Amino acid sequence: MTVSSLPEMADAITDPRVSTVDRAADSDEIRALFDLVRELNRDLLVPRVDQAEATGSFPRDILHTLGAAGLMSLAYPVEIGGGGQPASVSLQVLEELATSWLSIAVSVSVHSLACFPLVHAGSLQQRQRWLDQMLSGERLGAYCLSEPDSGSDAAALTTRATPTNGGYRISGRKAWITHGGEAEFYHVMTRTGGDGPAGISCFLIDAETPGLSAAPRERKMGAWASPTAAIILDNVTVTSDRLIGDEGQGFAIAMAGLDAGRLGIAACAVGLAQAALQAAVAYATQRQQFSQPIADFQGVSFLLADMATAVEAARSLYLAAADRADRGLPYSAQAAMAKLLATDTAMKVATDAIQILGGYGYTRDFPVERFFREAKMLQIVEGTNQIQRMVIGRHLTGVRR
Ligand SMILES: Cc1cc2nc3c(=O)[nH]c(=O)nc-3n(C[C@H](O)[C@H](O)[C@H](O)COP(=O)(O)OP(=O)(O)OC[C@H]3O[C@@H](n4cnc5c(N)ncnc54)[C@H](O)[C@@H]3O)c2cc1C
């Protein structure tokens, strides 16, 4: 291949950026949902992804469109304004979105996580007042647990809410917040009591509340179209109806949300790995060396076979965890296993995809180098993969430390 044929080659492997997975759908409604997502991917996401990721522009308008299509809250019950889909379906939608554009899928997953506290711990009055605009995606959400000095040890957070007459005054700093500076509402985990998890409470704070501001965006390795910024709370005054759940319940609410959130990240990781696999297959069947497609060399086709098997295994694991969630069974350990396997798989498959593309894979003319940078993020967010192993280990042994 000459250097001048590079853009054509890049175009050829750009085409399959809509998932080619043959999905089983139990009903016409679910089949239509999967078709709709692929159509949106083809017409809306794929044409915009390269430029937005290169320039770091946040595609808020696309999230509005997905919200209008009902895709921002698929897993929540219809009665409260959600899509009423089982986790097994809503997660496959996330996977589809991630195959075309990871940052968008992460936004949908994080928005769903940001709705979790109000859905599961809010009073009827609180839900009636705020939930509609959140679940419709009209107001975008952020989930604020991490702080500069408490990441994996989230229960050590120091943001403090002090009681006032009729409410609370909140000061502190939240770190690494996805949608920081772009979200319209923030669920903020805050200390109202003593040390440890029992002293933490959850507050719902509007973006426009005086004293709440965002630091400049983090300069991340990848997922540039997904804004990440610290949130500064400087004497933010809220009324007591902004407390979600009781005082002291915040950490339990945050952890329950993370079980669902980790399944979302697992589905995103499988979508990303699927995109890397499709790019590698497309390239290997076109690229000729020694007068034949490189896919005809067993060394390459075995690598592709291992990649495909790993992606399928990760998909099966998140769907098995989703099945437990849909049946109302405990699934914390299974969610941690799915997040661990799927994100490690995304990292490995993206790395191998670069190997299959050779020198071209190491350039920005092909998407696989971006997949590689994005996969790394997934091994860190919503609990690093070491923390997932800790969750799984505790589940096995019952030992807390
Ligand atoms: C792009 C991005 C988006 C994010 N979005 C959000 C968000 O929306 N909301 C939010 O609240 N947070 C968010 N985070 C924060 C994320 O959850 C934390 O980065 C993560 O939990 C790790 O915390 P840390 O970065 O402070 O690392 P640390 O906790 O300091 O960990 C450093 C290293 O030590 C290891 N380690 C720590 N403790 C242990 C242990 N007990 N055993 C073994 N190894 C250990 C970790 O695995 C890691 O390798 C985001 C992060 C990123 C990068």
Side-chain angles (χ1 to χ4, degrees), residues 110 113 142-153 174-179 220 228 377 380-387 390:
V110 168
L113 171 63
Y143 167 94
C144 307
L145 177 64
S146 305
E147 296 187 356
D149 294 326
S150 69
S152 301
D153 188 8
K174 290 292 170 180
W176 304 110
I177 302 308
T178 301
H179 301 155
K220 304 199 303 288
T228 311
M377 175 184 95
I380 296 168
V381 298
E382 298 200 15
T384 65
N385 284 2
Q386 284 86 356
I387 295 306
M390 209 166 86

PDB file of all heavy atoms in Angstrom, residues 110 113 142-153 174-179 220 228 377 380-387 390, ligand 1:
ATOM      1  N   VAL A 110     -23.488   7.672  32.638  1.00  0.00           N
ATOM      2  CA  VAL A 110     -23.283   8.534  33.821  1.00  0.00           C
ATOM      3  C   VAL A 110     -24.557   9.312  34.138  1.00  0.00           C
ATOM      4  O   VAL A 110     -24.905   9.496  35.311  1.00  0.00           O
ATOM      5  CB  VAL A 110     -22.078   9.483  33.600  1.00  0.00           C
ATOM      6  CG1 VAL A 110     -22.034  10.570  34.660  1.00  0.00           C
ATOM      7  CG2 VAL A 110     -20.778   8.689  33.599  1.00  0.00           C
ATOM      8  N   LEU A 113     -26.709   7.042  36.044  1.00  0.00           N
ATOM      9  CA  LEU A 113     -26.180   6.937  37.414  1.00  0.00           C
ATOM     10  C   LEU A 113     -26.555   8.175  38.217  1.00  0.00           C
ATOM     11  O   LEU A 113     -26.906   8.088  39.404  1.00  0.00           O
ATOM     12  CB  LEU A 113     -24.653   6.760  37.347  1.00  0.00           C
ATOM     13  CG  LEU A 113     -23.852   6.846  38.647  1.00  0.00           C
ATOM     14  CD1 LEU A 113     -24.236   5.734  39.607  1.00  0.00           C
ATOM     15  CD2 LEU A 113     -22.350   6.764  38.346  1.00  0.00           C
ATOM     16  N   ALA A 142     -24.885  14.881  36.878  1.00  0.00           N
ATOM     17  CA  ALA A 142     -23.536  14.445  37.253  1.00  0.00           C
ATOM     18  C   ALA A 142     -23.600  13.790  38.620  1.00  0.00           C
ATOM     19  O   ALA A 142     -24.472  14.130  39.445  1.00  0.00           O
ATOM     20  CB  ALA A 142     -22.578  15.628  37.269  1.00  0.00           C
ATOM     21  N   TYR A 143     -22.676  12.867  38.839  1.00  0.00           N
ATOM     22  CA  TYR A 143     -22.623  12.076  40.076  1.00  0.00           C
ATOM     23  C   TYR A 143     -21.294  12.407  40.756  1.00  0.00           C
ATOM     24  O   TYR A 143     -20.232  12.153  40.179  1.00  0.00           O
ATOM     25  CB  TYR A 143     -22.713  10.606  39.679  1.00  0.00           C
ATOM     26  CG  TYR A 143     -22.374   9.577  40.735  1.00  0.00           C
ATOM     27  CD1 TYR A 143     -23.375   9.002  41.515  1.00  0.00           C
ATOM     28  CD2 TYR A 143     -21.063   9.153  40.917  1.00  0.00           C
ATOM     29  CE1 TYR A 143     -23.067   8.030  42.460  1.00  0.00           C
ATOM     30  CE2 TYR A 143     -20.755   8.177  41.861  1.00  0.00           C
ATOM     31  CZ  TYR A 143     -21.764   7.625  42.622  1.00  0.00           C
ATOM     32  OH  TYR A 143     -21.459   6.660  43.547  1.00  0.00           O
ATOM     33  N   CYS A 144     -21.375  13.007  41.957  1.00  0.00           N
ATOM     34  CA  CYS A 144     -20.163  13.563  42.566  1.00  0.00           C
ATOM     35  C   CYS A 144     -19.799  12.819  43.851  1.00  0.00           C
ATOM     36  O   CYS A 144     -20.331  13.132  44.923  1.00  0.00           O
ATOM     37  CB  CYS A 144     -20.360  15.025  42.886  1.00  0.00           C
ATOM     38  SG  CYS A 144     -20.914  16.000  41.482  1.00  0.00           S
ATOM     39  N   LEU A 145     -18.885  11.864  43.720  1.00  0.00           N
ATOM     40  CA  LEU A 145     -18.410  11.109  44.882  1.00  0.00           C
ATOM     41  C   LEU A 145     -16.930  11.407  45.123  1.00  0.00           C
ATOM     42  O   LEU A 145     -16.529  11.770  46.227  1.00  0.00           O
ATOM     43  CB  LEU A 145     -18.619   9.606  44.637  1.00  0.00           C
ATOM     44  CG  LEU A 145     -18.118   8.654  45.725  1.00  0.00           C
ATOM     45  CD1 LEU A 145     -18.884   8.874  47.041  1.00  0.00           C
ATOM     46  CD2 LEU A 145     -18.285   7.187  45.286  1.00  0.00           C
ATOM     47  N   SER A 146     -16.113  11.303  44.084  1.00  0.00           N
ATOM     48  CA  SER A 146     -14.653  11.412  44.246  1.00  0.00           C
ATOM     49  C   SER A 146     -14.230  12.816  44.673  1.00  0.00           C
ATOM     50  O   SER A 146     -14.883  13.805  44.336  1.00  0.00           O
ATOM     51  CB  SER A 146     -13.946  11.080  42.931  1.00  0.00           C
ATOM     52  OG  SER A 146     -14.335   9.823  42.466  1.00  0.00           O
ATOM     53  N   GLU A 147     -13.118  12.859  45.399  1.00  0.00           N
ATOM     54  CA  GLU A 147     -12.505  14.129  45.797  1.00  0.00           C
ATOM     55  C   GLU A 147     -11.006  14.029  45.536  1.00  0.00           C
ATOM     56  O   GLU A 147     -10.475  12.923  45.342  1.00  0.00           O
ATOM     57  CB  GLU A 147     -12.777  14.398  47.283  1.00  0.00           C
ATOM     58  CG  GLU A 147     -14.265  14.574  47.571  1.00  0.00           C
ATOM     59  CD  GLU A 147     -14.562  15.006  49.006  1.00  0.00           C
ATOM     60  OE1 GLU A 147     -13.608  15.103  49.828  1.00  0.00           O
ATOM     61  OE2 GLU A 147     -15.753  15.238  49.301  1.00  0.00           O
ATOM     62  N   PRO A 148     -10.303  15.177  45.574  1.00  0.00           N
ATOM     63  CA  PRO A 148      -8.860  15.132  45.292  1.00  0.00           C
ATOM     64  C   PRO A 148      -8.121  14.147  46.202  1.00  0.00           C
ATOM     65  O   PRO A 148      -7.205  13.452  45.747  1.00  0.00           O
ATOM     66  CB  PRO A 148      -8.406  16.571  45.547  1.00  0.00           C
ATOM     67  CG  PRO A 148      -9.635  17.404  45.317  1.00  0.00           C
ATOM     68  CD  PRO A 148     -10.799  16.563  45.732  1.00  0.00           C
ATOM     69  N   ASP A 149      -8.515  14.040  47.479  1.00  0.00           N
ATOM     70  CA  ASP A 149      -7.798  13.157  48.410  1.00  0.00           C
ATOM     71  C   ASP A 149      -8.568  11.892  48.768  1.00  0.00           C
ATOM     72  O   ASP A 149      -8.160  11.150  49.666  1.00  0.00           O
ATOM     73  CB  ASP A 149      -7.456  13.936  49.699  1.00  0.00           C
ATOM     74  CG  ASP A 149      -6.464  15.056  49.416  1.00  0.00           C
ATOM     75  OD1 ASP A 149      -5.600  14.870  48.536  1.00  0.00           O
ATOM     76  OD2 ASP A 149      -6.576  16.117  50.047  1.00  0.00           O
ATOM     77  N   SER A 150      -9.706  11.656  48.148  1.00  0.00           N
ATOM     78  CA  SER A 150     -10.413  10.386  48.396  1.00  0.00           C
ATOM     79  C   SER A 150     -11.010   9.885  47.090  1.00  0.00           C
ATOM     80  O   SER A 150     -12.043  10.363  46.633  1.00  0.00           O
ATOM     81  CB  SER A 150     -11.499  10.542  49.470  1.00  0.00           C
ATOM     82  OG  SER A 150     -12.568  11.327  49.012  1.00  0.00           O
ATOM     83  N   GLY A 151     -10.300   8.921  46.478  1.00  0.00           N
ATOM     84  CA  GLY A 151     -10.759   8.302  45.238  1.00  0.00           C
ATOM     85  C   GLY A 151     -11.253   6.904  45.548  1.00  0.00           C
ATOM     86  O   GLY A 151     -12.436   6.680  45.811  1.00  0.00           O
ATOM     87  N   SER A 152     -10.309   5.939  45.592  1.00  0.00           N
ATOM     88  CA  SER A 152     -10.696   4.563  45.928  1.00  0.00           C
ATOM     89  C   SER A 152     -11.275   4.495  47.348  1.00  0.00           C
ATOM     90  O   SER A 152     -12.222   3.755  47.602  1.00  0.00           O
ATOM     91  CB  SER A 152      -9.462   3.648  45.831  1.00  0.00           C
ATOM     92  OG  SER A 152      -8.931   3.689  44.527  1.00  0.00           O
ATOM     93  N   ASP A 153     -10.719   5.281  48.245  1.00  0.00           N
ATOM     94  CA  ASP A 153     -11.222   5.329  49.631  1.00  0.00           C
ATOM     95  C   ASP A 153     -12.305   6.401  49.710  1.00  0.00           C
ATOM     96  O   ASP A 153     -12.173   7.412  50.409  1.00  0.00           O
ATOM     97  CB  ASP A 153     -10.050   5.646  50.576  1.00  0.00           C
ATOM     98  CG  ASP A 153     -10.456   5.527  52.039  1.00  0.00           C
ATOM     99  OD1 ASP A 153     -11.584   5.048  52.315  1.00  0.00           O
ATOM    100  OD2 ASP A 153      -9.647   5.920  52.901  1.00  0.00           O
ATOM    101  N   LYS A 174     -15.174  18.450  44.680  1.00  0.00           N
ATOM    102  CA  LYS A 174     -15.369  17.130  44.084  1.00  0.00           C
ATOM    103  C   LYS A 174     -14.468  17.007  42.862  1.00  0.00           C
ATOM    104  O   LYS A 174     -14.379  17.952  42.064  1.00  0.00           O
ATOM    105  CB  LYS A 174     -16.846  16.957  43.692  1.00  0.00           C
ATOM    106  CG  LYS A 174     -17.760  16.841  44.913  1.00  0.00           C
ATOM    107  CD  LYS A 174     -17.476  15.542  45.623  1.00  0.00           C
ATOM    108  CE  LYS A 174     -18.145  15.430  46.961  1.00  0.00           C
ATOM    109  NZ  LYS A 174     -17.825  14.141  47.619  1.00  0.00           N
ATOM    110  N   ALA A 175     -13.822  15.860  42.701  1.00  0.00           N
ATOM    111  CA  ALA A 175     -12.813  15.715  41.640  1.00  0.00           C
ATOM    112  C   ALA A 175     -13.312  14.808  40.518  1.00  0.00           C
ATOM    113  O   ALA A 175     -14.147  13.923  40.749  1.00  0.00           O
ATOM    114  CB  ALA A 175     -11.536  15.127  42.228  1.00  0.00           C
ATOM    115  N   TRP A 176     -12.818  15.042  39.316  1.00  0.00           N
ATOM    116  CA  TRP A 176     -13.012  14.133  38.176  1.00  0.00           C
ATOM    117  C   TRP A 176     -14.465  13.986  37.767  1.00  0.00           C
ATOM    118  O   TRP A 176     -14.877  12.892  37.359  1.00  0.00           O
ATOM    119  CB  TRP A 176     -12.490  12.728  38.516  1.00  0.00           C
ATOM    120  CG  TRP A 176     -11.087  12.642  38.932  1.00  0.00           C
ATOM    121  CD1 TRP A 176     -10.625  12.355  40.181  1.00  0.00           C
ATOM    122  CD2 TRP A 176      -9.934  12.830  38.111  1.00  0.00           C
ATOM    123  NE1 TRP A 176      -9.260  12.362  40.191  1.00  0.00           N
ATOM    124  CE2 TRP A 176      -8.806  12.651  38.921  1.00  0.00           C
ATOM    125  CE3 TRP A 176      -9.757  13.136  36.759  1.00  0.00           C
ATOM    126  CZ2 TRP A 176      -7.520  12.766  38.434  1.00  0.00           C
ATOM    127  CZ3 TRP A 176      -8.472  13.251  36.278  1.00  0.00           C
ATOM    128  CH2 TRP A 176      -7.380  13.064  37.103  1.00  0.00           C
ATOM    129  N   ILE A 177     -15.251  15.022  37.869  1.00  0.00           N
ATOM    130  CA  ILE A 177     -16.682  14.838  37.648  1.00  0.00           C
ATOM    131  C   ILE A 177     -17.024  14.866  36.148  1.00  0.00           C
ATOM    132  O   ILE A 177     -16.833  15.870  35.469  1.00  0.00           O
ATOM    133  CB  ILE A 177     -17.485  15.917  38.424  1.00  0.00           C
ATOM    134  CG1 ILE A 177     -17.136  15.816  39.923  1.00  0.00           C
ATOM    135  CG2 ILE A 177     -18.981  15.744  38.189  1.00  0.00           C
ATOM    136  CD1 ILE A 177     -17.275  14.434  40.542  1.00  0.00           C
ATOM    137  N   THR A 178     -17.528  13.729  35.672  1.00  0.00           N
ATOM    138  CA  THR A 178     -18.005  13.637  34.283  1.00  0.00           C
ATOM    139  C   THR A 178     -19.207  14.571  34.149  1.00  0.00           C
ATOM    140  O   THR A 178     -20.098  14.558  34.994  1.00  0.00           O
ATOM    141  CB  THR A 178     -18.411  12.182  33.953  1.00  0.00           C
ATOM    142  OG1 THR A 178     -17.260  11.355  34.144  1.00  0.00           O
ATOM    143  CG2 THR A 178     -18.910  12.045  32.513  1.00  0.00           C
ATOM    144  N   HIS A 179     -19.222  15.383  33.107  1.00  0.00           N
ATOM    145  CA  HIS A 179     -20.214  16.455  32.861  1.00  0.00           C
ATOM    146  C   HIS A 179     -19.979  17.654  33.768  1.00  0.00           C
ATOM    147  O   HIS A 179     -20.840  18.553  33.819  1.00  0.00           O
ATOM    148  CB  HIS A 179     -21.675  15.981  33.028  1.00  0.00           C
ATOM    149  CG  HIS A 179     -22.065  14.861  32.120  1.00  0.00           C
ATOM    150  ND1 HIS A 179     -23.080  13.960  32.406  1.00  0.00           N
ATOM    151  CD2 HIS A 179     -21.569  14.470  30.917  1.00  0.00           C
ATOM    152  CE1 HIS A 179     -23.188  13.081  31.432  1.00  0.00           C
ATOM    153  NE2 HIS A 179     -22.272  13.368  30.510  1.00  0.00           N
ATOM    154  N   LYS A 220      -7.373  15.245  29.568  1.00  0.00           N
ATOM    155  CA  LYS A 220      -7.292  13.783  29.648  1.00  0.00           C
ATOM    156  C   LYS A 220      -6.539  13.171  28.469  1.00  0.00           C
ATOM    157  O   LYS A 220      -6.369  13.775  27.426  1.00  0.00           O
ATOM    158  CB  LYS A 220      -8.712  13.177  29.683  1.00  0.00           C
ATOM    159  CG  LYS A 220      -9.602  13.702  30.814  1.00  0.00           C
ATOM    160  CD  LYS A 220     -10.775  12.775  31.077  1.00  0.00           C
ATOM    161  CE  LYS A 220     -11.658  12.512  29.872  1.00  0.00           C
ATOM    162  NZ  LYS A 220     -12.466  13.683  29.513  1.00  0.00           N
ATOM    163  N   THR A 228     -14.670  16.396  31.773  1.00  0.00           N
ATOM    164  CA  THR A 228     -14.366  15.963  33.150  1.00  0.00           C
ATOM    165  C   THR A 228     -13.772  17.165  33.874  1.00  0.00           C
ATOM    166  O   THR A 228     -12.782  17.736  33.397  1.00  0.00           O
ATOM    167  CB  THR A 228     -13.320  14.829  33.138  1.00  0.00           C
ATOM    168  OG1 THR A 228     -13.705  13.828  32.196  1.00  0.00           O
ATOM    169  CG2 THR A 228     -13.171  14.190  34.512  1.00  0.00           C
ATOM    170  N   MET A 377      -9.115   4.586  30.153  1.00  0.00           N
ATOM    171  CA  MET A 377      -9.994   5.295  31.094  1.00  0.00           C
ATOM    172  C   MET A 377     -10.974   4.335  31.783  1.00  0.00           C
ATOM    173  O   MET A 377     -11.265   4.460  32.975  1.00  0.00           O
ATOM    174  CB  MET A 377     -10.784   6.358  30.320  1.00  0.00           C
ATOM    175  CG  MET A 377     -11.804   7.086  31.132  1.00  0.00           C
ATOM    176  SD  MET A 377     -12.752   8.220  30.104  1.00  0.00           S
ATOM    177  CE  MET A 377     -14.163   7.224  29.701  1.00  0.00           C
ATOM    178  N   ILE A 380     -10.219   2.623  34.993  1.00  0.00           N
ATOM    179  CA  ILE A 380     -10.062   3.488  36.173  1.00  0.00           C
ATOM    180  C   ILE A 380     -11.395   3.973  36.738  1.00  0.00           C
ATOM    181  O   ILE A 380     -11.587   3.995  37.955  1.00  0.00           O
ATOM    182  CB  ILE A 380      -9.169   4.712  35.807  1.00  0.00           C
ATOM    183  CG1 ILE A 380      -7.758   4.237  35.437  1.00  0.00           C
ATOM    184  CG2 ILE A 380      -9.123   5.722  36.955  1.00  0.00           C
ATOM    185  CD1 ILE A 380      -6.882   5.295  34.785  1.00  0.00           C
ATOM    186  N   VAL A 381     -12.347   4.345  35.853  1.00  0.00           N
ATOM    187  CA  VAL A 381     -13.565   4.998  36.344  1.00  0.00           C
ATOM    188  C   VAL A 381     -14.476   4.031  37.101  1.00  0.00           C
ATOM    189  O   VAL A 381     -14.424   2.824  36.913  1.00  0.00           O
ATOM    190  CB  VAL A 381     -14.375   5.653  35.192  1.00  0.00           C
ATOM    191  CG1 VAL A 381     -13.553   6.734  34.512  1.00  0.00           C
ATOM    192  CG2 VAL A 381     -14.836   4.615  34.170  1.00  0.00           C
ATOM    193  N   GLU A 382     -15.300   4.619  37.952  1.00  0.00           N
ATOM    194  CA  GLU A 382     -16.297   3.897  38.766  1.00  0.00           C
ATOM    195  C   GLU A 382     -15.666   2.759  39.567  1.00  0.00           C
ATOM    196  O   GLU A 382     -16.220   1.670  39.679  1.00  0.00           O
ATOM    197  CB  GLU A 382     -17.482   3.444  37.896  1.00  0.00           C
ATOM    198  CG  GLU A 382     -18.168   4.677  37.300  1.00  0.00           C
ATOM    199  CD  GLU A 382     -19.586   4.475  36.823  1.00  0.00           C
ATOM    200  OE1 GLU A 382     -20.210   3.471  37.179  1.00  0.00           O
ATOM    201  OE2 GLU A 382     -20.079   5.357  36.101  1.00  0.00           O
ATOM    202  N   GLY A 383     -14.488   3.063  40.102  1.00  0.00           N
ATOM    203  CA  GLY A 383     -13.713   2.091  40.858  1.00  0.00           C
ATOM    204  C   GLY A 383     -12.682   1.457  39.950  1.00  0.00           C
ATOM    205  O   GLY A 383     -13.042   0.854  38.931  1.00  0.00           O
ATOM    206  N   THR A 384     -11.396   1.601  40.321  1.00  0.00           N
ATOM    207  CA  THR A 384     -10.349   0.998  39.490  1.00  0.00           C
ATOM    208  C   THR A 384     -10.522  -0.522  39.478  1.00  0.00           C
ATOM    209  O   THR A 384     -11.252  -1.085  40.305  1.00  0.00           O
ATOM    210  CB  THR A 384      -8.944   1.320  40.049  1.00  0.00           C
ATOM    211  OG1 THR A 384      -8.827   0.679  41.335  1.00  0.00           O
ATOM    212  CG2 THR A 384      -8.721   2.818  40.190  1.00  0.00           C
ATOM    213  N   ASN A 385      -9.807  -1.181  38.570  1.00  0.00           N
ATOM    214  CA  ASN A 385      -9.974  -2.635  38.509  1.00  0.00           C
ATOM    215  C   ASN A 385      -9.372  -3.343  39.730  1.00  0.00           C
ATOM    216  O   ASN A 385      -9.776  -4.466  40.045  1.00  0.00           O
ATOM    217  CB  ASN A 385      -9.451  -3.164  37.171  1.00  0.00           C
ATOM    218  CG  ASN A 385     -10.458  -2.862  36.062  1.00  0.00           C
ATOM    219  OD1 ASN A 385     -11.495  -2.244  36.308  1.00  0.00           O
ATOM    220  ND2 ASN A 385     -10.173  -3.305  34.848  1.00  0.00           N
ATOM    221  N   GLN A 386      -8.454  -2.660  40.431  1.00  0.00           N
ATOM    222  CA  GLN A 386      -8.016  -3.215  41.722  1.00  0.00           C
ATOM    223  C   GLN A 386      -9.185  -3.200  42.716  1.00  0.00           C
ATOM    224  O   GLN A 386      -9.393  -4.156  43.472  1.00  0.00           O
ATOM    225  CB  GLN A 386      -6.844  -2.399  42.305  1.00  0.00           C
ATOM    226  CG  GLN A 386      -5.497  -2.653  41.659  1.00  0.00           C
ATOM    227  CD  GLN A 386      -5.273  -1.792  40.424  1.00  0.00           C
ATOM    228  OE1 GLN A 386      -6.140  -1.052  39.982  1.00  0.00           O
ATOM    229  NE2 GLN A 386      -4.101  -1.910  39.836  1.00  0.00           N
ATOM    230  N   ILE A 387      -9.935  -2.117  42.697  1.00  0.00           N
ATOM    231  CA  ILE A 387     -11.081  -2.017  43.628  1.00  0.00           C
ATOM    232  C   ILE A 387     -12.157  -3.039  43.250  1.00  0.00           C
ATOM    233  O   ILE A 387     -12.805  -3.623  44.124  1.00  0.00           O
ATOM    234  CB  ILE A 387     -11.629  -0.566  43.656  1.00  0.00           C
ATOM    235  CG1 ILE A 387     -10.556   0.377  44.228  1.00  0.00           C
ATOM    236  CG2 ILE A 387     -12.932  -0.464  44.450  1.00  0.00           C
ATOM    237  CD1 ILE A 387      -9.990   0.003  45.587  1.00  0.00           C
ATOM    238  N   MET A 390     -11.145  -6.103  44.832  1.00  0.00           N
ATOM    239  CA  MET A 390     -11.402  -6.026  46.273  1.00  0.00           C
ATOM    240  C   MET A 390     -12.869  -6.376  46.566  1.00  0.00           C
ATOM    241  O   MET A 390     -13.160  -7.151  47.493  1.00  0.00           O
ATOM    242  CB  MET A 390     -11.103  -4.595  46.736  1.00  0.00           C
ATOM    243  CG  MET A 390     -10.661  -4.459  48.143  1.00  0.00           C
ATOM    244  SD  MET A 390      -9.976  -2.797  48.373  1.00  0.00           S
ATOM    245  CE  MET A 390     -11.444  -1.892  48.735  1.00  0.00           C
TER     246      MET A 390
HETATM  247  C1  LIG B   1     -12.269  10.194  33.046  1.00  0.00           C
HETATM  248  C2  LIG B   1     -12.736  10.044  34.462  1.00  0.00           C
HETATM  249  C3  LIG B   1     -14.060  10.297  34.794  1.00  0.00           C
HETATM  250  C4  LIG B   1     -14.480  10.185  36.123  1.00  0.00           C
HETATM  251  N1  LIG B   1     -15.790  10.511  36.445  1.00  0.00           N
HETATM  252  C5  LIG B   1     -16.165  10.527  37.747  1.00  0.00           C
HETATM  253  C6  LIG B   1     -17.481  10.983  38.123  1.00  0.00           C
HETATM  254  O1  LIG B   1     -18.310  11.339  37.275  1.00  0.00           O
HETATM  255  N2  LIG B   1     -17.793  11.023  39.448  1.00  0.00           N
HETATM  256  C7  LIG B   1     -16.910  10.644  40.411  1.00  0.00           C
HETATM  257  O2  LIG B   1     -17.271  10.706  41.588  1.00  0.00           O
HETATM  258  N3  LIG B   1     -15.667  10.194  40.099  1.00  0.00           N
HETATM  259  C8  LIG B   1     -15.269  10.141  38.788  1.00  0.00           C
HETATM  260  N4  LIG B   1     -14.010   9.707  38.451  1.00  0.00           N
HETATM  261  C9  LIG B   1     -13.072   9.355  39.514  1.00  0.00           C
HETATM  262  C10 LIG B   1     -12.734   7.868  39.571  1.00  0.00           C
HETATM  263  O3  LIG B   1     -13.806   7.165  40.099  1.00  0.00           O
HETATM  264  C11 LIG B   1     -11.446   7.745  40.380  1.00  0.00           C
HETATM  265  O4  LIG B   1     -10.395   8.245  39.584  1.00  0.00           O
HETATM  266  C12 LIG B   1     -11.155   6.314  40.814  1.00  0.00           C
HETATM  267  O5  LIG B   1     -12.099   5.873  41.751  1.00  0.00           O
HETATM  268  C13 LIG B   1      -9.748   6.181  41.416  1.00  0.00           C
HETATM  269  O6  LIG B   1      -9.499   7.160  42.358  1.00  0.00           O
HETATM  270  P1  LIG B   1      -8.132   8.000  42.283  1.00  0.00           P
HETATM  271  O7  LIG B   1      -8.013   8.507  40.893  1.00  0.00           O
HETATM  272  O8  LIG B   1      -8.136   8.979  43.386  1.00  0.00           O
HETATM  273  O9  LIG B   1      -6.989   6.937  42.494  1.00  0.00           O
HETATM  274  P2  LIG B   1      -6.455   6.359  43.915  1.00  0.00           P
HETATM  275  O10 LIG B   1      -7.589   5.934  44.754  1.00  0.00           O
HETATM  276  O11 LIG B   1      -5.492   7.327  44.493  1.00  0.00           O
HETATM  277  O12 LIG B   1      -5.686   5.065  43.437  1.00  0.00           O
HETATM  278  C14 LIG B   1      -4.376   5.105  42.898  1.00  0.00           C
HETATM  279  C15 LIG B   1      -3.943   3.670  42.603  1.00  0.00           C
HETATM  280  O13 LIG B   1      -3.917   2.914  43.835  1.00  0.00           O
HETATM  281  C16 LIG B   1      -4.724   1.764  43.693  1.00  0.00           C
HETATM  282  N5  LIG B   1      -5.388   1.463  44.982  1.00  0.00           N
HETATM  283  C17 LIG B   1      -6.004   2.315  45.829  1.00  0.00           C
HETATM  284  N6  LIG B   1      -6.497   1.659  46.882  1.00  0.00           N
HETATM  285  C18 LIG B   1      -6.190   0.352  46.702  1.00  0.00           C
HETATM  286  C19 LIG B   1      -6.437  -0.845  47.439  1.00  0.00           C
HETATM  287  N7  LIG B   1      -7.118  -0.834  48.593  1.00  0.00           N
HETATM  288  N8  LIG B   1      -5.958  -2.013  46.952  1.00  0.00           N
HETATM  289  C20 LIG B   1      -5.270  -2.038  45.782  1.00  0.00           C
HETATM  290  N9  LIG B   1      -5.014  -0.952  45.027  1.00  0.00           N
HETATM  291  C21 LIG B   1      -5.475   0.230  45.487  1.00  0.00           C
HETATM  292  C22 LIG B   1      -5.751   2.119  42.635  1.00  0.00           C
HETATM  293  O14 LIG B   1      -6.310   0.962  42.028  1.00  0.00           O
HETATM  294  C23 LIG B   1      -4.912   2.934  41.672  1.00  0.00           C
HETATM  295  O15 LIG B   1      -4.196   2.066  40.832  1.00  0.00           O
HETATM  296  C24 LIG B   1     -13.576   9.779  37.123  1.00  0.00           C
HETATM  297  C25 LIG B   1     -12.254   9.490  36.777  1.00  0.00           C
HETATM  298  C26 LIG B   1     -11.823   9.623  35.483  1.00  0.00           C
HETATM  299  C27 LIG B   1     -10.377   9.322  35.137  1.00  0.00           C
END
